[in-house]
Amino acid sequence: MPAITNHMPTAELQALDAAHHMHPFTAGNELAAKGARIIARAKGVYLTDSEGAEIMDGMAGLWCVNIGYGREELAEAAARQMRELPYYNTFFQTSHAPVIALASKIAELAPGDLNHTFFASSGSEANDTNIRMVRTYWAMKGKPSKSVIISRHNAYHGSSVGSASLGGMAPMHAQGGLPIPDIHHIDQPSWWAEGGDMSPEDFGLARAQELEKAIQELGEDRVAAFIAEPVQGAGGVIIAPDTYWPEIQRICDKYEILLIADEVICGFGRTGEWFGSQTLGIRPDIMTIAKGLSSGYQPIGGSVVSDDVAAVIDSGEFNHGYTYSGHPVACAVALENLRIMHEEGIVSHVRDVAGPHLKEQWQALGDHPLVGEASICGLMASIALTPDKASRAKFASDPGTVGLICRDHSFANGLIMRHVGDRLVISPPLVIQRDEIDILITRVRKALDGCLEDITKQGLMKPV
Ligand SMILES: *Cc1c(COP(=O)(O)O)cnc(C)c1O
């Protein structure tokens, strides 16, 4: 077989991809029939495909390439570490400088007394760690009955058996016998879609109080933890009303429920602070981290836990760990990523420059006839498409039909956006500059115009 490289004709790469590569969250045969888009290289906020077309990456890969593509320093850090010590485990009462340095750095950045990190290679693995850790925490404190973890419908916490059980994605639960026992879901704080006649403030309170009801129904002695993303990402960039998080915090404090903030997307600058918990005023006992920790250059994640949680877990043996927990190359790359984030002031760039510039133009999209809601937090944003703005109506067509049409227009115009049902979401690299934001917005508007024209022609501009 000849070497398979970018120099191969696209059609041949696509044929081999279809023959041998199974894609995540994809209808395989459908994709095989049209062929995957082959991404060849990337620089800054732009991708180049195998046909030479340049596309702006409005999703930072999968919410992760925060520092942008093509950073030589990260390649150098990986090469240096591979030469010195490519691998060693952290099981055998052994450690190494990269994992020590990264754990120390995270302790310095993380809020409150979140001073201890248990490493994994992904957000899914880290949330699996969290399931076992919070249950073990209560067992070690002599309360083994506290095993229920409360989460939310339409949450995303990963794709392994445990983390997908924590998540609230119905299509995921429908396959493979999920959820595992003792996971309980309450409703999400999505006012635009589910708030009806309530004010956002009342709705936020009501949805938070579902947590209190669930604790009372399950019994305080049964509940171990509540887990939530500060801003729901994969669920459609859903930002809770202002009343929501203070009430959640009050309830977790009152019933002594561990609060797990899944910061896999919100962490490391996405919301304009180092962590989404800081932006939203949450005091978690555990944070899940991954994605932006290494800007996606290496697979790494972890659970960052409080002094109290660490003290209890460390009082015995926690029978848990991954071969690649604290992988030296991944740690070295993550450290270099954080060094650059710090040196270039990328978090304050999001908070003071890119965030406000995008916000102004993103919210102005609310004037478009298709847009029911335009919401944004830092550099994560969404628009909800609707056939009738006043009544916040859904489309009569199957959910996602119109969203996909809009997404396809965006791709054709040279912008990667993602659709979640009939919401469109973006999460661009945090290093995006003002002029690039202007280009992004122009392309979103073109996509909306193209979509409106198509669905008007096709008779899809109809409420349920
Ligand atoms: C992506 C994501 C995960 C899962 O991370 P993986 O690295 O894909 O396993 C978990 N939680 C949230 C909030 C995510 O966005």
Side-chain angles (χ1 to χ4, degrees):
M1 197 192 275
I4 297 168
T5 71
N6 278 329
H7 299 296
M8 247 189 186
T10 299
E12 283 179 40
L13 286 168
Q14 288 171 327
L16 287 166
D17 183 70
H20 302 298
H21 173 209
M22 300 177 80
H23 289 250
F25 288 97
T26 298
N29 291 343
E30 209 177 295
L31 176 64
K34 66 177 201 178
R37 188 169 196 169
I38 313 288
I39 305 301
R41 61 189 66 83
K43 182 92 190 150
V45 300
Y46 287 100
L47 308 166
T48 305
D49 72 12
S50 55
E51 296 294 290
E54 213 177 55
I55 320 139
M56 180 182 281
D57 186 3
M59 283 304 299
L62 262 179
W63 325 79
C64 56
V65 188
N66 289 355
I67 204 171
Y69 295 93
R71 295 298 302 237
E72 277 297 319
E73 305 94 317
L74 298 195
E76 286 302 326
R80 244 186 346 261
Q81 188 56 47
M82 281 193 192
R83 290 192 182 102
E84 195 168 300
L85 180 70
Y87 175 76
Y88 199 68
N89 73 69
T90 49
F91 288 30
F92 299 161
Q93 306 198 349
T94 48
S95 199
H96 49 74
V99 77
I100 296 167
L102 184 60
S104 306
K105 183 71 196 173
I106 292 167
E108 185 189 312
L109 294 175
D113 66 351
L114 299 170
N115 289 321
H116 316 265
T117 302
F118 193 107
F119 286 102
S121 297
S122 68
S124 301
E125 285 181 0
N127 277 326
D128 276 15
T129 298
N130 291 340
I131 294 172
R132 301 196 63 208
M133 180 128 61
V134 298
R135 290 174 176 174
T136 303
Y137 169 90
W138 287 114
M140 284 178 164
K141 280 175 73 109
K143 296 182 176 172
S145 68
K146 282 172 81 75
S147 65
V148 176
I149 303 172
I150 301 177
S151 177
R152 305 185 294 183
H153 295 298
N154 200 36
Y156 189 79
H157 296 300
S159 201
S160 59
V161 170
S163 63
S165 296
L166 283 181
M169 301 282 175
M172 293 179 76
H173 288 186
Q175 295 174 328
L178 303 186
I180 59 170
D182 282 357
I183 308 287
H184 181 87
H185 294 88
I186 59 174
D187 289 320
Q188 59 176 344
S190 178
W191 175 80
W192 191 86
E194 300 174 4
D197 295 334
M198 291 176 98
S199 71
E201 292 71 27
D202 289 348
F203 177 76
L205 269 184
R207 284 289 155 104
Q209 283 159 1
E210 282 193 22
L211 176 60
E212 189 158 31
K213 270 188 229 119
I215 294 168
Q216 286 166 351
E217 277 165 28
L218 291 157
E220 216 178 311
D221 56 333
R222 289 280 289 122
V223 181
F226 173 66
I227 183 169
E229 303 150 85
V231 174
Q232 282 160 265
V237 182
I238 291 159
I239 302 165
D242 290 342
T243 47
Y244 182 77
W245 277 110
E247 183 68 359
I248 290 284
Q249 184 72 58
R250 179 191 71 77
I251 294 164
C252 289
D253 291 348
K254 176 172 172 192
Y255 295 95
E256 287 187 64
I257 303 301
L258 294 174
L259 174 53
I260 309 170
D262 185 339
E263 294 265 4
V264 170
I265 289 175
C266 294
F268 303 101
R270 175 64 53 197
T271 68
E273 300 288 341
W274 277 99
F275 295 94
S277 294
Q278 294 163 320
T279 301
L280 295 166
I282 307 164
R283 284 179 284 103
D285 300 286
I286 299 178
M287 295 195 306
T288 319
I289 57 172
K291 295 190 172 124
L293 170 58
S294 66
S295 283
Y297 279 61
Q298 283 283 294
I300 183 167
S303 306
V304 189
V305 314
S306 67
D307 289 344
D308 168 53
V309 171
V312 172
I313 294 295
D314 284 340
S315 69
E317 181 170 341
F318 184 34
N319 300 312
H320 177 79
Y322 308 105
T323 299
Y324 299 133
S325 287
H327 192 288
V329 177
C331 288
V333 169
L335 262 175
E336 183 64 5
N337 175 59
L338 297 179
R339 188 193 65 76
I340 295 173
M341 297 266 309
H342 180 76
E343 199 167 290
E344 300 185 359
I346 291 173
V347 178
S348 50
H349 170 74
V350 174
R351 188 186 56 227
D352 302 331
V353 182
H357 188 64
L358 180 64
K359 184 174 184 172
E360 195 185 322
Q361 302 194 55
W362 192 262
Q363 288 181 333
L365 293 173
D367 300 339
H368 193 280
L370 260 185
V371 175
E373 174 190 54
S375 38
I376 177 164
C377 178
L379 285 183
M380 59 197 297
S382 63
I383 42 183
L385 306 184
T386 177
D388 182 28
K389 292 157 83 102
S391 67
R392 312 206 302 270
K394 296 186 173 69
F395 291 97
S397 48
D398 286 341
T401 309
V402 176
L404 180 62
I405 292 172
C406 190
R407 199 282 311 263
D408 286 346
H409 273 282
S410 178
F411 276 30
N413 295 327
L415 173 68
I416 305 265
M417 278 202 286
R418 178 171 174 183
H419 81 106
V420 178
D422 295 318
R423 291 179 85 89
L424 275 297
V425 306
I426 60 158
S427 163
L430 304 185
V431 294
I432 193 167
Q433 299 299 311
R434 295 169 67 98
D435 56 333
E436 292 165 335
I437 289 172
D438 297 342
I439 294 169
L440 183 150
I441 291 288
T442 305
R443 292 180 185 179
V444 175
R445 282 203 179 273
K446 267 171 89 172
L448 287 169
D449 290 344
C451 177
L452 179 58
E453 197 182 314
D454 277 7
I455 66 173
T456 306
K457 265 190 225 145
Q458 293 171 36
L460 292 172
M461 194 62 184
K462 268 203 318 253
V464 276

Tab-separated table of all heavy atoms in Angstrom, residues 62-63 121-125 127 156-159 229 233-234 262-265 288 290-291, ligand 1:
chain	number	residue	atom	x	y	z
A	62	LEU	N	-13.105	20.853	18.754
A	62	LEU	CA	-14.307	20.540	19.556
A	62	LEU	C	-14.196	21.316	20.865
A	62	LEU	O	-13.949	20.749	21.914
A	62	LEU	CB	-14.398	19.036	19.837
A	62	LEU	CG	-15.309	18.190	18.953
A	62	LEU	CD1	-15.253	16.719	19.379
A	62	LEU	CD2	-16.741	18.681	18.977
A	63	TRP	N	-14.325	22.598	20.801
A	63	TRP	CA	-14.269	23.485	21.981
A	63	TRP	C	-12.914	23.426	22.677
A	63	TRP	O	-12.834	23.665	23.887
A	63	TRP	CB	-15.319	23.112	23.035
A	63	TRP	CG	-16.642	22.591	22.636
A	63	TRP	CD1	-16.948	21.324	22.237
A	63	TRP	CD2	-17.896	23.304	22.627
A	63	TRP	NE1	-18.292	21.204	21.998
A	63	TRP	CE2	-18.897	22.396	22.228
A	63	TRP	CE3	-18.254	24.628	22.939
A	63	TRP	CZ2	-20.234	22.753	22.123
A	63	TRP	CZ3	-19.590	24.968	22.836
A	63	TRP	CH2	-20.557	24.043	22.434
A	121	SER	N	-7.053	11.047	30.789
A	121	SER	CA	-6.696	11.466	29.426
A	121	SER	C	-7.823	12.161	28.700
A	121	SER	O	-7.690	12.524	27.534
A	121	SER	CB	-6.256	10.253	28.595
A	121	SER	OG	-5.104	9.684	29.162
A	122	SER	N	-8.958	12.336	29.360
A	122	SER	CA	-10.106	12.963	28.698
A	122	SER	C	-11.105	13.422	29.741
A	122	SER	O	-11.019	13.037	30.911
A	122	SER	CB	-10.790	11.958	27.759
A	122	SER	OG	-11.399	10.934	28.529
A	123	GLY	N	-12.065	14.200	29.287
A	123	GLY	CA	-13.144	14.636	30.161
A	123	GLY	C	-14.023	13.470	30.593
A	123	GLY	O	-14.488	13.415	31.737
A	124	SER	N	-14.259	12.530	29.679
A	124	SER	CA	-15.088	11.355	30.012
A	124	SER	C	-14.444	10.571	31.153
A	124	SER	O	-15.106	10.201	32.129
A	124	SER	CB	-15.220	10.426	28.798
A	124	SER	OG	-15.810	11.083	27.710
A	125	GLU	N	-13.161	10.312	31.010
A	125	GLU	CA	-12.456	9.556	32.051
A	125	GLU	C	-12.474	10.314	33.370
A	125	GLU	O	-12.635	9.712	34.439
A	125	GLU	CB	-10.997	9.329	31.649
A	125	GLU	CG	-10.791	8.278	30.589
A	125	GLU	CD	-9.311	8.086	30.252
A	125	GLU	OE1	-8.448	8.781	30.853
A	125	GLU	OE2	-9.016	7.258	29.392
A	127	ASN	N	-14.709	12.373	34.454
A	127	ASN	CA	-16.025	12.267	35.084
A	127	ASN	C	-16.280	10.867	35.621
A	127	ASN	O	-16.984	10.700	36.625
A	127	ASN	CB	-17.127	12.716	34.120
A	127	ASN	CG	-17.286	14.238	34.138
A	127	ASN	OD1	-17.098	14.869	35.184
A	127	ASN	ND2	-17.608	14.823	32.995
A	156	TYR	N	-24.039	17.421	28.957
A	156	TYR	CA	-23.046	16.547	28.332
A	156	TYR	C	-21.856	16.397	29.266
A	156	TYR	O	-21.214	17.389	29.630
A	156	TYR	CB	-22.569	17.074	26.977
A	156	TYR	CG	-21.708	16.040	26.272
A	156	TYR	CD1	-22.293	14.969	25.609
A	156	TYR	CD2	-20.322	16.089	26.328
A	156	TYR	CE1	-21.523	13.975	25.013
A	156	TYR	CE2	-19.537	15.108	25.738
A	156	TYR	CZ	-20.140	14.050	25.073
A	156	TYR	OH	-19.379	13.078	24.487
A	157	HIS	N	-21.575	15.159	29.664
A	157	HIS	CA	-20.428	14.924	30.539
A	157	HIS	C	-19.471	13.878	29.986
A	157	HIS	O	-18.579	13.433	30.711
A	157	HIS	CB	-20.907	14.529	31.936
A	157	HIS	CG	-21.687	15.609	32.629
A	157	HIS	ND1	-21.152	16.855	32.907
A	157	HIS	CD2	-22.982	15.660	33.051
A	157	HIS	CE1	-22.074	17.604	33.512
A	157	HIS	NE2	-23.188	16.912	33.604
A	158	GLY	N	-19.662	13.470	28.723
A	158	GLY	CA	-18.746	12.516	28.120
A	158	GLY	C	-19.458	11.318	27.541
A	158	GLY	O	-20.693	11.248	27.566
A	159	SER	N	-18.690	10.382	27.022
A	159	SER	CA	-19.260	9.304	26.225
A	159	SER	C	-18.944	7.897	26.752
A	159	SER	O	-19.374	6.918	26.175
A	159	SER	CB	-18.769	9.435	24.781
A	159	SER	OG	-19.623	8.741	23.911
A	229	GLU	N	-22.479	21.614	34.137
A	229	GLU	CA	-21.589	22.526	33.420
A	229	GLU	C	-21.993	23.957	33.797
A	229	GLU	O	-23.187	24.268	33.786
A	229	GLU	CB	-21.762	22.350	31.915
A	229	GLU	CG	-21.540	20.946	31.391
A	229	GLU	CD	-22.384	20.657	30.137
A	229	GLU	OE1	-21.944	20.997	29.031
A	229	GLU	OE2	-23.491	20.103	30.277
A	233	GLY	N	-22.543	23.258	27.257
A	233	GLY	CA	-21.885	23.417	25.967
A	233	GLY	C	-22.579	22.640	24.865
A	233	GLY	O	-23.340	23.201	24.064
A	234	ALA	N	-22.331	21.316	24.830
A	234	ALA	CA	-22.868	20.481	23.751
A	234	ALA	C	-24.399	20.510	23.715
A	234	ALA	O	-24.997	20.259	22.670
A	234	ALA	CB	-22.369	19.050	23.909
A	262	ASP	N	-18.494	20.813	35.949
A	262	ASP	CA	-17.818	20.228	34.785
A	262	ASP	C	-17.316	21.386	33.920
A	262	ASP	O	-18.063	21.982	33.157
A	262	ASP	CB	-18.769	19.319	34.010
A	262	ASP	CG	-18.062	18.591	32.865
A	262	ASP	OD1	-16.995	19.073	32.423
A	262	ASP	OD2	-18.566	17.554	32.419
A	263	GLU	N	-16.033	21.668	34.105
A	263	GLU	CA	-15.396	22.825	33.461
A	263	GLU	C	-14.663	22.427	32.178
A	263	GLU	O	-13.766	23.146	31.737
A	263	GLU	CB	-14.379	23.449	34.439
A	263	GLU	CG	-14.986	24.066	35.688
A	263	GLU	CD	-15.229	25.564	35.541
A	263	GLU	OE1	-15.000	26.096	34.441
A	263	GLU	OE2	-15.649	26.187	36.532
A	264	VAL	N	-15.036	21.279	31.605
A	264	VAL	CA	-14.268	20.793	30.454
A	264	VAL	C	-14.267	21.822	29.315
A	264	VAL	O	-13.243	22.027	28.666
A	264	VAL	CB	-14.781	19.407	30.000
A	264	VAL	CG1	-14.159	18.993	28.675
A	264	VAL	CG2	-14.442	18.362	31.066
A	265	ILE	N	-15.393	22.501	29.103
A	265	ILE	CA	-15.424	23.576	28.099
A	265	ILE	C	-15.147	24.935	28.752
A	265	ILE	O	-14.357	25.734	28.242
A	265	ILE	CB	-16.788	23.613	27.376
A	265	ILE	CG1	-16.924	22.394	26.456
A	265	ILE	CG2	-16.945	24.916	26.574
A	265	ILE	CD1	-18.272	22.256	25.779
A	288	THR	N	-14.194	19.234	36.863
A	288	THR	CA	-13.699	18.378	35.780
A	288	THR	C	-13.007	19.270	34.762
A	288	THR	O	-13.574	20.296	34.365
A	288	THR	CB	-14.867	17.661	35.065
A	288	THR	OG1	-15.807	17.235	36.015
A	288	THR	CG2	-14.360	16.504	34.221
A	290	ALA	N	-10.455	19.322	31.046
A	290	ALA	CA	-9.873	18.606	29.888
A	290	ALA	C	-9.703	19.654	28.777
A	290	ALA	O	-9.261	20.766	29.061
A	290	ALA	CB	-10.742	17.434	29.444
A	291	LYS	N	-10.088	19.322	27.565
A	291	LYS	CA	-10.077	20.225	26.409
A	291	LYS	C	-9.041	21.360	26.472
A	291	LYS	O	-7.893	21.167	26.113
A	291	LYS	CB	-11.487	20.765	26.166
A	291	LYS	CG	-12.449	19.645	25.757
A	291	LYS	CD	-13.798	20.081	25.259
A	291	LYS	CE	-14.570	18.888	24.719
A	291	LYS	NZ	-15.871	18.653	25.304
B	1	LIG	C1	-16.304	17.286	25.851
B	1	LIG	C2	-16.882	17.244	27.210
B	1	LIG	C3	-16.674	16.152	28.052
B	1	LIG	C4	-15.992	14.906	27.596
B	1	LIG	O1	-14.663	15.097	27.305
B	1	LIG	P1	-13.903	14.037	26.351
B	1	LIG	O2	-12.495	14.522	26.389
B	1	LIG	O3	-14.561	14.103	25.006
B	1	LIG	O4	-14.061	12.694	26.961
B	1	LIG	C5	-17.140	16.228	29.351
B	1	LIG	N1	-17.790	17.313	29.789
B	1	LIG	C6	-18.029	18.377	29.000
B	1	LIG	C7	-18.724	19.567	29.564
B	1	LIG	C8	-17.599	18.367	27.676
B	1	LIG	O5	-17.872	19.402	26.894
